[in-house]
Amino acid sequence: MPTIPSNIVVYNLITKRLFSTSTSKNMNYVEKVRLLDYWKIQDSSLQNEFPRSHLVLMVDRRLLVTKDTPDVKMVEHSYGDLKQLLGEYGLQFDLSNSCLLDALPADNDMIPLFGTSIEAADPPEDSPISKSDVLKQLGNSLGGRFTDIRMAMLTMQEERQRNLLAKFQTLTKWAATYRRCPKCAAALKMRTSKSGAECVTCQKVYYPTFSPVSITLITDPTNEHALLVRHRGSAGGVFTAVAGFAHSGESMAECARREIAEEVGIEVDLIQSLDMSQPWPMPDSSLMIAHVAIAKMDQKISVCPDELETAQWFSRQQVRQALETTLSDPQLKKLPRTLDDRQTLHYIPPAGAIAHQMIRRWVDGKIDFHNSRI
Amino acid sequence: MPTIPSNIVVYNLITKRLFSTSTSKNMNYVEKVRLLDYWKIQDSSLQNEFPRSHLVLMVDRRLLVTKDTPDVKMVEHSYGDLKQLLGEYGLQFDLSNSCLLDALPADNDMIPLFGTSIEAADPPEDSPISKSDVLKQLGNSLGGRFTDIRMAMLTMQEERQRNLLAKFQTLTKWAATYRRCPKCAAALKMRTSKSGAECVTCQKVYYPTFSPVSITLITDPTNEHALLVRHRGSAGGVFTAVAGFAHSGESMAECARREIAEEVGIEVDLIQSLDMSQPWPMPDSSLMIAHVAIAKMDQKISVCPDELETAQWFSRQQVRQALETTLSDPQLKKLPRTLDDRQTLHYIPPAGAIAHQMIRRWVDGKIDFHNSRI
């Protein structure tokens, strides 16, 4: 492997030997992340592991999750079981449509967790059953149901599940896009793990891209009011925090300040990190980084009409009411339907979104600039 | 412009009218960021502004900076002056090798600040003077000198100058790479601002990429010791904090924890954001996000040999001494030359690096988990 410096190879050989003599019970966090790092770049090693792997599944960009459980999780299958169950529906998967998500403890070892994303063929025109019926049956056979990725992100309770799904969606979408070198248009050779791709001609390596995003809860100087916004096209009655992609050459605080000016037309006096972040895969892959800002309430709000429908100040009590409504109806089933009512605060994002966690901390009085250590 | 939703156009027309009637003295921060946003996507408008613009310059990837001043800054020229001065050396620039960096107040208005990056032709083989002599003369004619970009980032005192340079380098490199659509290999149409490029065939839009990086100062539970590392190939005697690119699907805290395990082989007990971040353009564009972590000192350190030469615990007094040496010799001119001495702590990174600011805060006793508000 001429493109890999020899010290990596030596290091990996040492590391690999370590793993092969240790049991999973002895495998600590350091060994696990080094094994994942090894699998990421050593295609042949990861290919050998594939038949021992476990997998989670998307079909037609819908995620297989548990059903009839209070907490939504991805359904995991062993490679052999999934081969057989999908085979009964004439469906196949292989390494080309799979990406490496994690390393799981097995009997005496670690095995890879892959995410595999396949397309179901359309049934023949004269078929008596529709494609959605087929997917429903397939979900049942696989011990779960298929659901929308955004809804899964918003409602999964475990951070680990959400982060694995974010990785699954980001790597799947990236690997489907990065086929040719942006510089010279030659083919890209994709790693088995989908963690990188190298141009066969100019040897430039590309990595899965996702961008830092600031998400900022704006409060007034008394800390008793919050400015929340409604995005165009978002579900009726749902308000959230201001967010936007960082631009080249700005710090996260500058990003937050600029996004607030662009989107709601006001200047903030102070910005502070909340020490919370969350990978978020839609519509583009990002890493949401939470901030809080103070702005005076007497400034004229002027929303960017391309992004936002409205932006309004709310009292802590109004936001608490929306938090409680959201917690009692996490699937947002009672969304308002009339146009006027859509513009009224009824809900905040469900618990899987970092905006929910930020707003909840503020409602509970746990966000306060006076406690700042900076 | 069929690809731009009509509400953007309307919004921009309104915004533009606002600008044309307001003077620069009246132009507040909100108007400035909205003007920059307008220029970013409206190619014809930005093209019209080019002859009124100011520019900073790279020639052969070296930056034109002030000379004989204690604080290094980029030298700005008006479009007309730069045309004339470069023309005397047979050099030209145009919009194709320029990127939009900022909006500057002018007499009654705002004008763009561009960064322009050109290549100087090699002198003929029989030329009596070398290319580096030509560049030295050119620098003098332009009222400055050309310097290495990394050294400029490390030694510029103003955050604004460093961030503009990070943007300049990131956009220049990105625009030189993204020529073809990674998905379909058709040509990409680059925006005049270099803030995005659209595939002429599949219409997918790509944006300048830079990745979040965790940079983490590791302390022991007493907060009296710090673990610093030496990167392979870094200047002798220079130690710094552990840093690495975030992977898809992990939070910033998870990124910091994993990078520490991968690079120095230890587990940390606690990770906290320091509310500091910095765009950094080399070798790949990133946004460095500062953290502090606590780890027990009795863990065996095992460095990743591909990345690091060594990692060691130091007392606060040892780190203070290195900080003082660095402050008294910010260009690191007295770097150790023997192999043994290279592995000894003499310096930390100069003041332009976020690692310097983090280490300095720790030496000064301003980083303390007990003051945490989280």
Side-chain angles (χ1 to χ4, degrees):
Chain A
M1 284 164 292
T3 62
I4 299 177
S6 62
N7 48 356
I8 285 196
V9 175
V10 172
Y11 170 71
N12 282 328
L13 287 176
I14 294 165
T15 313
K16 188 65 183 168
R17 197 171 322 128
L18 236 168
F19 296 132
S20 57
T21 56
S22 68
T23 69
S24 64
K25 279 174 196 155
N26 294 332
M27 186 168 283
N28 61 27
Y29 176 72
V30 171
E31 290 170 322
K32 176 184 158 171
V33 302
R34 288 181 168 181
L35 176 62
L36 270 171
D37 200 39
Y38 174 83
W39 279 342
K40 274 175 66 176
I41 54 177
Q42 296 291 343
D43 285 352
S44 61
S45 167
L46 189 57
Q47 285 156 15
N48 288 340
E49 301 283 346
F50 195 45
R52 305 173 60 224
S53 68
H54 279 196
L55 301 102
V56 292
L57 181 69
M58 284 186 210
V59 177
D60 292 351
R61 296 179 191 78
R62 290 173 69 79
L63 182 73
L64 180 68
V65 296
T66 52
K67 60 179 177 185
D68 309 327
T69 54
D71 185 14
V72 174
K73 296 186 188 194
M74 290 185 276
V75 177
E76 271 181 42
H77 285 281
S78 72
Y79 173 90
D81 286 353
L82 193 64
K83 267 269 179 255
Q84 189 196 325
L85 289 163
L86 287 179
E88 289 166 9
Y89 286 77
L91 296 171
Q92 296 184 328
F93 66 94
D94 59 29
L95 274 166
S96 72
N97 43 28
S98 303
C99 58
L100 176 64
L101 298 182
D102 202 3
L104 305 175
D107 292 344
N108 271 324
D109 210 349
M110 298 289 274
I111 59 169
L113 177 68
F114 280 94
T116 195
S117 176
I118 61 176
E119 310 269 317
D122 288 319
E125 271 185 30
D126 57 353
S127 168
I129 57 168
S130 70
K131 192 168 178 182
S132 70
D133 288 335
V134 174
L135 284 187
K136 195 170 272 183
Q137 283 181 20
L138 176 63
N140 275 326
S141 302
L142 292 165
R145 62 184 171 89
F146 288 100
T147 189
D148 175 65
I149 294 167
R150 183 184 297 271
M151 189 46 78
M153 282 297 293
L154 288 171
T155 53
M156 283 172 160
Q157 287 175 31
E158 277 184 30
E159 182 182 7
R160 175 173 180 273
Q161 288 281 318
R162 293 194 299 265
N163 289 3
L164 285 176
L165 173 54
K167 184 172 185 176
F168 186 3
Q169 169 71 1
T170 296
L171 295 186
T172 299
K173 207 170 155 187
W174 180 78
T177 301
Y178 275 70
R179 317 306 290 259
R180 307 296 285 262
C181 177
K183 190 162 189 181
C184 73
L188 291 177
K189 183 177 183 310
M190 183 63 61
R191 286 184 192 157
T192 301
S193 60
K194 312 298 181 289
S195 66
E198 182 177 335
C199 175
V200 296
T201 301
C202 74
Q203 264 86 50
K204 192 168 159 59
V205 180
Y206 297 86
Y207 299 98
T209 48
F210 57 97
S211 301
V213 160
S214 68
I215 180 163
T216 310
L217 186 71
I218 305 168
T219 73
D220 76 316
T222 70
N223 201 20
E224 286 305 316
H225 298 83
L227 182 70
L228 300 179
V229 300
R230 260 190 61 67
H231 289 99
R232 287 203 170 275
S234 66
V238 181
F239 280 71
T240 187
V242 172
F245 284 98
H247 292 176
S248 317
E250 62 187 10
S251 67
M252 281 315 296
E254 287 171 336
C255 168
R257 185 180 301 269
R258 177 188 50 72
E259 281 292 338
I260 292 166
E262 274 184 22
E263 296 209 354
V264 297
I266 66 172
E267 291 190 49
V268 297
D269 297 323
L270 197 61
I271 289 178
Q272 193 172 280
S273 157
L274 283 176
D275 204 0
M276 302 161 75
S277 60
Q278 178 182 37
W280 195 258
M282 291 153 303
D284 293 309
S285 292
S286 67
L287 180 63
M288 315 275 283
I289 301 180
H291 290 77
V292 58
I294 295 180
K296 295 190 187 71
M297 283 177 75
D298 59 4
Q299 296 180 80
K300 189 177 173 319
I301 292 172
S302 78
V303 300
C304 170
D306 180 50
E307 305 235 355
L308 297 184
E309 213 171 88
T310 181
Q312 295 167 43
W313 287 100
F314 299 102
S315 70
R316 195 184 298 262
Q317 181 51 34
Q318 287 174 304
V319 181
R320 179 179 290 122
Q321 180 59 52
L323 168 65
E324 283 166 10
T325 304
T326 308
L327 290 173
S328 68
D329 176 21
Q331 309 267 339
L332 312 188
K333 284 182 177 160
K334 297 176 196 139
L335 287 171
R337 297 181 192 277
T338 66
L339 191 61
D340 271 3
D341 215 26
R342 283 172 59 88
Q343 304 257 5
T344 309
L345 173 63
H346 290 286
Y347 291 91
I348 62 169
I354 194 170
H356 180 100
Q357 306 301 331
M358 295 163 65
I359 293 171
R360 186 171 191 162
R361 266 175 62 177
W362 179 75
V363 165
D364 292 344
K366 292 180 182 158
I367 293 181
D368 184 351
F369 275 89
H370 302 292
N371 288 342
S372 166
R373 67 176 184 284
I374 307 292
Chain B
M1 284 163 292
T3 61
I4 299 177
S6 61
N7 48 357
I8 286 196
V9 175
V10 171
Y11 170 71
N12 282 328
L13 288 175
I14 294 166
T15 314
K16 188 65 182 169
R17 198 172 320 130
L18 233 169
F19 296 134
S20 57
T21 58
S22 69
T23 69
S24 65
K25 280 174 195 155
N26 294 332
M27 187 169 281
N28 60 28
Y29 175 71
V30 172
E31 290 170 322
K32 175 184 157 171
V33 300
R34 287 181 169 182
L35 175 62
L36 269 171
D37 200 39
Y38 175 82
W39 279 342
K40 274 175 65 176
I41 55 177
Q42 296 291 343
D43 284 354
S44 61
S45 167
L46 188 58
Q47 285 157 16
N48 288 340
E49 301 282 347
F50 194 46
R52 305 174 60 224
S53 67
H54 279 195
L55 300 102
V56 292
L57 180 70
M58 284 187 210
V59 177
D60 292 351
R61 294 179 192 77
R62 289 172 70 79
L63 183 73
L64 180 68
V65 296
T66 53
K67 59 178 178 185
D68 309 328
T69 54
D71 185 14
V72 174
K73 295 185 188 196
M74 289 184 275
V75 177
E76 271 180 42
H77 285 280
S78 72
Y79 173 90
D81 286 354
L82 193 63
K83 268 271 180 252
Q84 190 196 325
L85 290 163
L86 287 180
E88 290 166 8
Y89 287 77
L91 297 171
Q92 296 184 328
F93 66 93
D94 59 28
L95 273 167
S96 71
N97 43 28
S98 303
C99 59
L100 175 64
L101 298 182
D102 202 2
L104 305 175
D107 292 344
N108 271 325
D109 209 349
M110 298 288 275
I111 58 170
L113 176 68
F114 280 95
T116 196
S117 176
I118 61 176
E119 310 270 317
D122 287 318
E125 272 186 28
D126 57 353
S127 166
I129 57 167
S130 71
K131 192 169 178 181
S132 71
D133 288 336
V134 174
L135 284 187
K136 194 171 271 182
Q137 283 181 22
L138 176 62
N140 274 326
S141 303
L142 291 166
R145 62 184 172 87
F146 288 99
T147 189
D148 175 64
I149 294 167
R150 183 184 298 269
M151 189 46 79
M153 282 297 292
L154 288 171
T155 53
M156 282 173 161
Q157 287 175 32
E158 277 183 30
E159 183 182 6
R160 175 173 178 273
Q161 289 281 319
R162 294 194 299 264
N163 289 4
L164 285 177
L165 173 54
K167 184 172 184 175
F168 186 4
Q169 169 71 2
T170 296
L171 295 186
T172 300
K173 207 170 155 187
W174 180 79
T177 302
Y178 275 72
R179 316 307 290 258
R180 306 298 286 263
C181 177
K183 189 161 189 182
C184 75
L188 290 177
K189 184 177 182 312
M190 184 62 62
R191 286 185 192 158
T192 302
S193 60
K194 312 297 181 289
S195 67
E198 183 177 336
C199 175
V200 297
T201 300
C202 75
Q203 265 84 48
K204 193 168 159 59
V205 180
Y206 297 87
Y207 299 98
T209 47
F210 57 97
S211 300
V213 160
S214 68
I215 179 163
T216 310
L217 186 71
I218 306 168
T219 73
D220 75 316
T222 70
N223 200 21
E224 286 304 317
H225 298 83
L227 181 70
L228 300 179
V229 301
R230 260 190 61 68
H231 288 100
R232 289 203 168 274
S234 67
V238 181
F239 280 72
T240 187
V242 172
F245 284 98
H247 292 176
S248 317
E250 61 187 10
S251 68
M252 282 315 295
E254 287 171 336
C255 167
R257 185 180 301 267
R258 177 189 49 74
E259 282 292 338
I260 292 166
E262 274 184 23
E263 297 209 353
V264 297
I266 66 172
E267 290 190 50
V268 297
D269 296 324
L270 197 61
I271 289 177
Q272 193 172 281
S273 157
L274 283 176
D275 204 0
M276 302 162 75
S277 59
Q278 178 182 37
W280 194 258
M282 291 154 304
D284 293 309
S285 291
S286 66
L287 179 63
M288 316 275 283
I289 301 180
H291 290 78
V292 59
I294 295 181
K296 294 189 188 71
M297 284 177 75
D298 59 4
Q299 296 180 80
K300 189 178 174 315
I301 291 172
S302 77
V303 301
C304 171
D306 180 50
E307 306 233 357
L308 298 183
E309 212 171 271
T310 182
Q312 294 167 44
W313 287 100
F314 298 102
S315 70
R316 195 184 297 261
Q317 181 51 32
Q318 288 174 303
V319 181
R320 179 179 289 123
Q321 179 59 53
L323 168 66
E324 282 165 10
T325 305
T326 308
L327 290 173
S328 68
D329 175 20
Q331 310 267 340
L332 312 188
K333 285 181 176 159
K334 298 177 196 141
L335 286 173
R337 297 180 191 279
T338 67
L339 190 62
D340 270 2
D341 215 25
R342 284 173 56 89
Q343 304 257 5
T344 308
L345 173 64
H346 290 286
Y347 291 91
I348 62 169
I354 194 169
H356 180 101
Q357 306 301 332
M358 296 163 64
I359 293 170
R360 187 171 192 163
R361 266 177 61 178
W362 179 76
V363 165
D364 292 345
K366 291 179 184 161
I367 293 180
D368 184 352
F369 275 88
H370 303 294
N371 288 342
S372 166
R373 68 176 182 284
I374 309 295

